[in-house]
């Protein structure tokens, strides 16, 4: 007689929501930039390394953005786990092409400690320089040892916003010089000028054009 198979397993630990906060990015953002983070949402969880706790949704608004219809292409939320550095490698929920109040949904396992989520926009190439982009995180929904519930970070709308700037117009740098080879090469470009009519076989390097936060030379 063969004995019945036995099943063994490990019970997962209880995860519990502890706190949450938001942080505003206030750096300049270039026209035509993709995946530009605006608000960082930090959700802090308590529990073991193999805890059972999940994020189900995040609700945010584009409140504070000057003109969503002329300046934004879409809005997304990204997740970086316990890494406090923005990355667009992992998206949470869907991509939004209409703006106002949006709720991204999904099932993401939450780690013990800090969990970082980022509200981010794609900015139109034709966005208006001088306008700003902004967001508000109104609430999120999680399932933990206490059940499923809605929570709001503190604050929901941190102070500040990200100004939109045009490439080449705001860099606090000295006039760069062009490096290229071939006939018709202009070696004395001023900041904001363009290199045009480059023929095949001509090499152009942009390494002579330094950039700073929120701006880039137009080449």
């Amino acid at each position: 007689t063969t004995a019945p198979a036995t099943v063994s397993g490990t019970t997962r630990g209880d995860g519990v929501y502890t706190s949450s906060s938001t942080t505003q990015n206030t750096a300049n953002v270039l026209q035509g930039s993709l995946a530009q983070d605006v608000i960082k949402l930090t959700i802090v969880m308590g529990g073991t390394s193999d805890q059972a706790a999940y994020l189900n949704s995040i609700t945010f608004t584009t409140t504070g953005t000057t003109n969503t219809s002329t300046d934004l292409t879409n809005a997304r939320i990204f997740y970086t786990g316990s890494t406090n550095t923005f990355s667009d490698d992992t998206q949470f929920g869907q991509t939004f092409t209409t703006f106002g109040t949006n709720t991204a949904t999904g099932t993401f396992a939450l780690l013990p400690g800090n969990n970082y989520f980022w509200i981010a926009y794609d900015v139109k190439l034709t966005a208006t320089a001088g306008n700003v982009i902004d967001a508000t995180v109104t609430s999120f929904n999680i399932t933990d040892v206490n059940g499923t519930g809605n929570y709001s970070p503190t604050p929901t709308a941190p102070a500040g916003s990200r100004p939109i700037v045009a490439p080449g117009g705001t860099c606090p740098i000295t006039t760069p010089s062009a490096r290229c080879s071939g006939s018709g090469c202009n070696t004395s470009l001023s900041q904001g000028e363009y290199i045009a009519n480059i023929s095949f076989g001509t090499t152009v390097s942009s390494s002579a054009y330094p950039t700073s936060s929120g701006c880039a030379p137009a080449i």
Side-chain angles (χ1 to χ4, degrees):
T1 302
T2 302
T6 59
V7 178
S8 62
T10 301
T11 301
R12 299 191 68 188
D14 294 328
V16 60
Y17 169 73
T18 301
S19 64
S20 58
S21 61
T22 55
T23 305
Q24 176 79 48
N25 187 346
T26 58
N28 290 346
V29 58
L30 283 172
Q31 294 167 325
S33 297
L34 303 180
Q36 294 298 300
D37 63 291
V38 181
I39 299 289
K40 176 180 67 178
L41 168 65
T42 305
I43 300 175
V44 184
M45 301 295 296
T48 65
S49 59
D50 188 32
Q51 67 181 18
Y54 303 92
L55 174 73
N56 304 309
S57 67
I58 297 175
T59 299
F60 69 98
T61 76
T62 52
T63 300
T65 300
T66 305
N67 194 324
T68 57
S69 62
T70 62
D71 295 337
L72 302 183
T73 301
N74 56 49
R76 292 173 287 174
I77 298 178
F78 295 101
Y79 172 67
T80 58
S82 58
T83 301
N84 188 18
T85 302
F86 175 70
S87 169
D88 60 357
D89 288 343
T90 303
Q91 183 172 336
F92 172 76
Q94 57 271 57
T95 298
F96 299 98
T97 56
T98 58
F99 309 106
T101 299
N102 298 103
T103 299
T105 58
T107 303
F108 267 45
L110 294 170
L111 304 171
N114 293 343
N115 295 261
Y116 297 105
F117 296 85
W118 313 76
I119 313 299
Y121 301 143
D122 289 348
V123 180
K124 289 183 178 181
L125 184 63
T126 56
T128 302
N131 284 356
V132 301
I133 59 174
D134 202 358
T136 296
V137 180
T138 57
S139 65
F140 55 90
N141 181 277
I142 63 173
T143 300
D144 66 359
V145 66
N146 296 315
T148 299
N150 293 317
Y151 302 88
S152 294
T154 302
T156 57
S161 57
R162 296 194 66 179
I164 299 171
V165 297
T170 60
C171 295
I173 57 176
T174 58
T175 300
S177 60
R179 290 188 220 163
C180 57
S181 61
S183 62
C185 180
N186 184 346
T187 59
S188 59
L189 288 179
S190 297
Q191 182 178 339
E193 289 187 337
Y194 291 80
I195 300 174
N197 300 321
I198 301 298
S199 60
F200 288 105
T202 299
T203 300
V204 178
S205 170
S206 61
S207 60
Y209 293 82
T211 63
S212 61
S213 176
C215 68
I219 61 172

